[in-house]
Amino acid sequence: MSSKSKRKGYRFEKEIETFFREEEHKAIRTWGSNGKSMGVAEDVDVIVNDHFFIQAKIRKSLPKFLELGNCHAVFIREDRGSTKVLIPLDFFIELFNEWNQR
């Protein structure tokens, strides 16, 4: 029997896969949460439209500083690292659909 944490991660990956399929995109969860099973990098959990790679992380709770509050996005960066952006899923899918139609 797999651990509770692994089952939770699997469910989240399947949720992401299902979400993109319902948006009429080709989406597949990599076998064993390992992108190598699909010929891509090991840390890839879900592949969308053959060229968009997703690493899925689920946590019991997120740090309070990541809450959007009244903002549209949170930009975060480690010292001397690259900037990441946290946005709501519905806004992301609008951007993704627009980008994917090009």
Side-chain angles (χ1 to χ4, degrees):
M1 186 99 189
S2 63
S3 72
K4 184 176 180 181
S5 178
K6 284 186 179 186
R7 289 191 307 267
K8 181 171 72 168
Y10 172 82
R11 283 192 308 271
F12 186 51
E13 291 165 6
K14 290 298 288 182
E15 180 182 320
I16 292 168
E17 176 189 42
T18 300
F19 172 80
F20 277 98
R21 286 184 176 189
E22 288 174 352
E23 289 290 324
E24 299 182 6
H25 293 285
K26 178 183 172 188
I28 187 164
R29 179 188 166 271
T30 59
W31 189 84
S33 299
N34 186 334
K36 285 184 177 181
S37 66
M38 300 294 292
V40 296
E42 185 175 0
D43 60 349
V44 176
D45 295 327
V46 180
I47 301 172
V48 181
N49 297 338
D50 298 323
H51 61 271
F52 190 78
F53 305 143
I54 297 173
Q55 167 64 224
K57 295 290 183 194
I58 187 166
R59 298 287 185 260
K60 182 175 182 176
S61 63
L62 295 176
K64 296 296 180 198
F65 67 86
L66 292 179
E67 290 182 9
L68 294 174
N70 296 312
C71 300
H72 297 105
V74 174
F75 285 59
I76 53 178
R77 180 181 72 207
E78 291 180 295
D79 292 342
R80 293 178 290 284
S82 63
T83 301
K84 305 332 184 251
V85 181
L86 177 68
I87 59 174
L89 181 59
D90 58 345
F91 181 52
F92 169 80
I93 199 63
E94 285 180 40
L95 296 174
F96 182 81
N97 287 338
E98 189 176 305
W99 170 72
N100 202 51
Q101 290 177 353
R102 295 182 188 179

